Amino acid sequence: MLASVFSTFSLPNRLVKAKASKVISSAIGLSCVWSLSLGAVQAKQQSSYHPQQIGKFNQQLAKKVRQTLNHYSIPGGAYAIIKGDRIAAIETFGHIDKAKSQKVNYSTVFRLASVSKPFAATLTTMLAQEQKLSLNDPITKYVPHFRLKTAGKAEKIKLKHILSHTSGLMPNTYDNLLHEKWSMDKVIGRFDRLDPICEPEKCYGYQNIAYGFLQPAIEASQHKSYGELLGERVFKPLNMVNASVGIDVYRDNSNTAKPHILRKRINTGKKDKNGKTIRRYVWREVYVSPDYYKVAPAAGVNASITDLANWLIANLGHKPQVLSPALLAELTTPRIRTRKDLKRRHWRSHLKDAHYGYGWRIYKFDDYPIIYHSGWVEGFRADIGYSPALGIGFALLINAESNAINKISSDFWASAHRIAEPRQIASSSNQVLPTQPAKREGKVFANHF
């Protein structure tokens, strides 16, 4: 079972009256990591910050999350709540591994899996706005050996289509080959056996290998590695001190969460208060797989919950010198409707509309939009989202392949209005998703998270 000890980080200082909680304040020298100098914007956010209100909300959430992780015997996890330009709370749970060798803390590094995609999209779009590349460039400009069965089809796929999963390729094309000991050149060589299932921009098909094609485009624009550029342009300026790209960095870090896969479910013969059978979940620790690290833009980022908290603050618009308003607007403009998302378990009763932008999903959740992504690789799950309308962000990381993360995230967003300002709630209820730049309803062929 998950250890009952968890820790709490919050700004400003507050006392959390919860069992085994620990108050960590900015007064211990961490304020330089968390605070942002935002002038008038900061002053406005500070005036609407209510630590008691958020403290009560967080106590209730932490209790629910701890109970859920205990129920599924998930070894460890962490979440962060952002309000405005502040980290409202960070909670950590359990341990980095099943052996309980080390507790998860707010610097523990997890794999982000597909939560890596917003980073790749941000860097690509940033370089495009600086005219160092063009989103209208055909992908063959950067991956010249990429060919499809019918001549001329590959040249129609542009960088913008890769960013929005509207390339027309079959969903998750050749993802199975990532598990083979093949070079990426050999994998790409297989594409000449395929034709698209639709024209670019006409259908949605989620990709990982094709998302990896962004890397040579990014590197050609600057003559630096993808990891170096992401570090220089995003990680360092946003003080994401634990963030990195690639398996080697992950392996060299002693404070990393270890991946766990479900070995079996055991029927205990007992029932809960609702009459449901109580099962015990048995997890097995596995080695970190290099498979999806081969496509770094798709799934190659490692980060701590603290890093994601700083990332959310920037995406909420409070680091305009790094992520400009124009950049954020372009990333979160809906490009293709993803109707299958509306059937997501735990989310479907709340979702009114769903699209994909550049590296982000854009949901109409109840009465307000949220910008969201999730990730899943062997032994890890990750969720991240923010609502500009509510001024709130949330990220969650666990070191086990459990769908419990879906319920935790959806429950958070269902109650997030409780910590938003009344004026924000009123204005968000009147908001609709932005109009797409072109009508791209099309067919939805897959919705893999």
Side-chain angles (χ1 to χ4, degrees):
M1 296 293 286
L2 185 75
S4 61
V5 177
F6 64 96
S7 63
T8 301
F9 179 89
S10 64
L11 284 177
N13 299 341
R14 59 177 173 79
L15 179 62
V16 178
K17 298 178 180 179
K19 183 180 179 181
S21 66
K22 181 180 179 182
V23 176
I24 305 174
S25 75
S26 59
I28 62 173
L30 292 173
S31 59
C32 60
V33 177
W34 313 108
S35 14
L36 298 173
S37 177
L38 294 168
V41 174
Q42 184 185 48
K44 181 178 179 181
Q45 291 290 346
Q46 287 176 341
S47 67
S48 63
Y49 189 87
H50 303 293
Q52 291 182 343
Q53 177 193 36
I54 294 175
K56 182 178 180 180
F57 176 90
N58 183 54
Q59 286 180 40
Q60 295 170 346
L61 179 64
K63 181 180 179 180
K64 289 181 180 178
V65 173
R66 187 170 63 254
Q67 289 174 342
T68 300
L69 299 187
N70 274 328
H71 175 78
Y72 292 101
S73 303
I74 294 170
Y79 75 70
I81 301 173
I82 305 303
K83 185 173 182 186
D85 64 336
R86 293 173 177 264
I87 298 174
I90 287 181
E91 299 281 353
T92 64
F93 306 84
H95 298 80
I96 66 170
D97 54 21
K98 186 180 176 182
K100 300 182 179 180
S101 65
Q102 182 178 320
K103 291 178 182 177
V104 172
N105 59 41
Y106 48 82
S107 296
T108 299
V109 172
F110 291 73
R111 289 193 65 181
L112 299 191
S114 284
V115 171
S116 303
K117 289 182 174 73
F119 291 95
T122 296
L123 184 55
T124 305
T125 309
M126 183 186 293
L127 294 171
Q129 291 189 348
E130 295 169 357
Q131 298 184 347
K132 292 173 181 173
L133 55 77
S134 171
L135 298 186
N136 286 312
D137 286 342
I139 197 64
T140 51
K141 177 178 178 180
Y142 305 103
V143 190
H145 55 298
F146 171 64
R147 292 286 182 269
L148 294 173
K149 187 176 181 179
T150 301
K153 291 286 186 180
E155 287 75 12
K156 291 184 177 181
I157 300 174
K158 302 177 181 179
L159 288 178
K160 63 182 180 181
H161 303 139
I162 300 297
L163 289 170
S164 58
H165 299 294
T166 58
S167 64
L169 295 172
M170 181 183 298
N172 298 85
T173 303
Y174 289 136
D175 277 5
N176 59 306
L177 296 181
L178 289 172
H179 305 293
E180 304 295 332
K181 294 180 179 180
W182 286 23
S183 69
M184 284 307 299
D185 282 344
K186 186 175 179 180
V187 173
I188 293 169
R190 281 292 184 104
F191 277 84
D192 65 4
R193 305 180 181 195
L194 305 175
D195 264 338
I197 55 177
C198 72
E199 290 296 312
E201 300 185 359
K202 299 300 182 182
C203 65
Y204 169 77
Y206 194 82
Q207 304 295 327
N208 285 302
I209 290 176
Y211 224 83
F213 294 170
L214 297 173
Q215 182 169 349
I218 291 168
E219 292 177 342
S221 72
Q222 298 289 281
H223 303 292
K224 294 182 180 179
S225 74
Y226 175 67
E228 287 175 327
L229 285 167
L230 205 52
E232 291 176 7
R233 301 301 303 271
V234 178
F235 297 159
K236 186 175 180 179
L238 296 184
N239 217 353
M240 298 175 64
V241 296
N242 303 299
S244 63
V245 177
I247 191 170
D248 292 337
V249 186
Y250 180 90
R251 285 173 171 168
D252 291 342
N253 190 331
S254 61
N255 188 13
T256 52
K258 311 309 176 190
H260 297 81
I261 61 173
L262 187 63
R263 182 183 171 197
K264 59 183 176 180
R265 299 178 183 89
I266 299 175
N267 191 334
T268 64
K270 301 178 181 179
K271 295 185 181 295
D272 62 19
K273 61 182 180 180
N274 298 316
K276 293 183 178 180
T277 300
I278 297 175
R279 292 182 174 88
R280 183 163 64 89
Y281 296 78
V282 180
W283 299 92
R284 177 168 62 91
E285 183 179 333
V286 295
Y287 291 108
V288 175
S289 170
D291 299 353
Y292 280 86
Y293 276 119
K294 297 175 186 175
V295 283
V301 175
N302 317 300
S304 68
I305 196 63
T306 302
D307 296 325
L308 292 188
N310 287 331
W311 172 239
L312 282 169
I313 289 172
N315 278 277
L316 279 164
H318 300 289
K319 277 284 189 176
Q321 68 275 32
V322 182
L323 307 185
S324 69
L327 174 61
L328 295 175
E330 188 166 4
L331 291 168
T332 58
T333 297
R335 308 288 168 176
I336 189 78
R337 180 165 276 116
T338 56
R339 290 171 293 180
K340 194 173 180 180
D341 283 20
L342 302 178
K343 298 178 181 179
R344 290 188 64 187
R345 188 181 179 190
H346 303 304
W347 290 72
R348 53 190 172 221
S349 62
H350 300 286
L351 292 182
K352 308 294 178 59
D353 206 355
H355 295 74
Y356 205 94
Y358 286 163
W360 287 105
R361 299 186 185 279
I362 301 107
Y363 288 163
K364 179 73 179 298
F365 188 100
D366 290 335
D367 293 326
Y368 47 87
I370 63 170
I371 314 302
Y372 169 85
H373 218 289
S374 60
W376 185 346
V377 289
E378 187 178 36
F380 293 96
R381 293 292 299 271
D383 256 32
I384 190 168
Y386 68 96
S387 172
L390 300 182
I392 291 170
F394 181 68
L396 174 63
L397 300 169
I398 59 175
N399 60 346
E401 292 183 43
S402 172
N403 286 326
I405 196 170
N406 294 332
K407 180 167 173 53
I408 294 171
S409 289
S410 63
D411 284 352
F412 172 86
W413 287 111
S415 58
H417 62 278
R418 290 168 46 196
I419 54 173
E421 291 301 296
R423 64 178 179 273
Q424 291 175 314
I425 296 172
S427 62
S428 66
S429 65
N430 296 321
Q431 290 193 9
V432 295
L433 289 175
T435 303
Q436 291 177 264
K439 186 177 181 181
R440 298 170 190 168
E441 298 272 340
K443 295 181 179 179
V444 179
F445 290 92
N447 186 17
H448 294 265
F449 295 93

